[in-house]
Amino acid sequence: MTPEPIHDIAHLAHVELLTDKPAESLDFFVNILGLTESGREGDSVFLRAWDDYEFHTLKLTAASHTGIGHVAYRTTSEQALARRVAAIEKLGAGIGWVEGDLGHGRAYRFHDPDKHVFEIYFDTHKYVPPAEERPALKNQAQRNHGRGCAVRRLDHVNLLARDVSAVRAFLPAALGSRVTEQIVLDSGEVAGCWFTVNNKSYDIAYTRDFTNSEGRFHHVTYAVDQREHVLEAADVFLENGVFIETGPHKHAVQQTFFLYVYEPAGNRVEVANAGARLILDPDWQTVTWTETERKKGQAWGLKTIESFHTHGTPPAAGGDH
């Protein structure tokens, strides 16, 4: 019999990004991407998209360098949190408990095999909109303000890793994640891996860091309702002088309609539409893409640009971003 699936993790909750240009980055995320500021604490500003139910999905922290601070998941219950903590400690990856911040209660921190920091928690602070932001529909977190790209919700995060195969073994054991798709090179090396903890096709992806660095960040993604909104976002970026790295186009892996840009500090941000694609099959078999298949480019033939394999934050020592 196949192992019983683990449903202890509800969803990707938030991402902490580090910026050495805090004012410029904040302006980008609020006025261009269209997030809402929900609070400030210390060197951090807490931000969220208009239909994110939690207090924040992006914690933007001023720092001396760029990159990822931590990635957070919310569990399905306090009991689920305890089970996952026990599993993570058994793996030897635990860091320990931390007190929460403006967005949530106490959290347990751990690291993946590439030394990225994660945290899991259950007690959360749900966003309560002020009167001027209350939506007409009671089942919506906030009124769609229409500012900038007006992204709807946090979708996923992509991290870089020296050894993706180590992460492929770790996340299912630590969080109960399923591997939905992967890229395996002719050498047998795993170059990319996509994971989900629920019925979304993926909530986190890892791709090979060809600079052989450790703990770097590739991109964070916010979702919009339609492909047309991705095209509109391209115009918003164009009008505001934001560098468009690649897209709009459609990925072959996961079929996401994408657009990638850099925020002012150099962290990569994606605006995307995943369409109606969900993984409903309870015994979904991992889709494996070969090196030859990936060299064909994206779904409609757009070649993957070189910077997609080299640019990450913080910049690699002595090399390209």
Side-chain angles (χ1 to χ4, degrees):
M1 296 177 66
T2 57
E4 184 75 11
I6 298 169
H7 299 298
D8 287 341
I9 303 295
H11 62 85
L12 176 67
H14 63 263
V15 174
E16 181 185 25
L17 273 188
L18 307 178
T19 173
D20 56 4
K21 297 181 179 179
E24 295 94 329
S25 294
L26 180 60
D27 178 70
F28 169 87
F29 283 110
V30 172
N31 296 313
I32 300 176
L33 194 63
L35 301 186
T36 295
E37 180 180 331
S38 49
R40 299 189 180 205
E41 185 176 63
D43 293 326
S44 300
V45 182
F46 298 80
L47 302 160
R48 50 180 296 287
W50 60 264
D51 204 24
D52 284 325
Y53 79 88
E54 289 194 280
F55 185 80
H56 74 289
T57 51
L58 179 66
K59 181 178 181 180
L60 186 65
T61 300
S64 60
H65 59 91
T66 53
I68 189 81
H70 72 272
V71 176
Y73 280 83
R74 190 178 181 211
T75 65
T76 55
S77 66
E78 288 284 2
Q79 296 92 330
L81 176 59
R83 287 192 295 268
R84 287 302 93 211
V85 169
I88 292 164
E89 290 183 338
K90 189 175 180 180
L91 292 168
I95 296 173
W97 290 95
V98 296
E99 292 302 315
D101 49 32
L102 289 180
H104 59 84
R106 69 173 193 149
Y108 185 81
R109 289 201 164 185
F110 63 97
H111 58 79
D112 70 6
D114 208 70
K115 305 306 179 186
H116 298 97
V117 176
F118 283 71
E119 67 181 20
I120 51 176
Y121 64 90
F122 176 69
D123 182 29
T124 196
H125 306 157
K126 298 183 181 181
Y127 183 73
V128 178
E132 66 273 14
E133 291 181 359
R134 289 176 191 159
L137 297 174
K138 297 170 67 174
N139 54 5
Q140 187 170 299
Q142 175 192 351
R143 179 179 297 176
N144 182 351
H145 48 66
R147 184 177 61 250
C149 300
V151 292
R152 180 166 192 151
R153 60 171 175 81
L154 175 66
D155 190 78
H156 66 270
V157 62
N158 186 316
L159 303 178
L160 293 166
R162 287 194 292 188
D163 184 357
V164 179
S165 62
V167 179
R168 184 179 62 179
F170 175 78
L171 278 188
L175 300 181
S177 304
R178 291 188 292 164
V179 181
T180 57
E181 303 194 35
Q182 62 182 355
I183 299 170
V184 179
L185 303 181
D186 294 343
S187 64
E189 179 184 5
V190 181
C193 208
W194 285 256
F195 303 86
T196 186
V197 294
N198 48 41
N199 287 333
K200 287 175 77 270
S201 55
Y202 64 115
D203 49 64
I204 192 168
Y206 280 79
T207 45
R208 173 78 166 89
D209 193 329
F210 290 98
T211 70
N212 209 34
S213 302
E214 190 175 66
R216 294 209 302 156
F217 169 79
H218 194 271
H219 71 266
V220 65
T221 301
Y222 278 85
V224 291
D225 284 335
Q226 303 173 22
R227 290 182 182 181
E228 187 66 29
H229 294 155
V230 179
L231 302 180
E232 291 172 355
D235 281 337
V236 171
F237 293 137
L238 179 66
E239 293 294 343
N240 286 276
V242 175
F243 172 69
I244 296 174
E245 181 188 31
T246 185
H249 206 82
K250 179 179 176 178
H251 281 303
V253 179
Q254 301 290 359
Q255 298 190 34
T256 310
F257 195 72
F258 67 83
L259 173 64
Y260 292 93
V261 300
Y262 301 159
E263 58 89 21
N267 295 306
R268 182 188 281 107
V269 177
E270 180 187 18
V271 174
N273 173 255
R277 188 162 185 266
L278 298 172
I279 302 296
L280 301 177
D281 184 351
D283 57 354
W284 173 270
Q285 299 301 302
T286 302
V287 173
T288 298
W289 299 84
T290 67
E291 185 172 341
T292 299
E293 288 169 335
R294 292 307 308 122
K295 284 181 178 178
K296 293 178 181 178
Q298 301 306 323
W300 301 322
L302 178 72
K303 295 300 179 183
T304 304
I305 60 174
E306 184 60 29
S307 61
F308 211 65
H309 298 299
T310 59
H311 180 96
T313 49
D320 197 339
H321 284 244

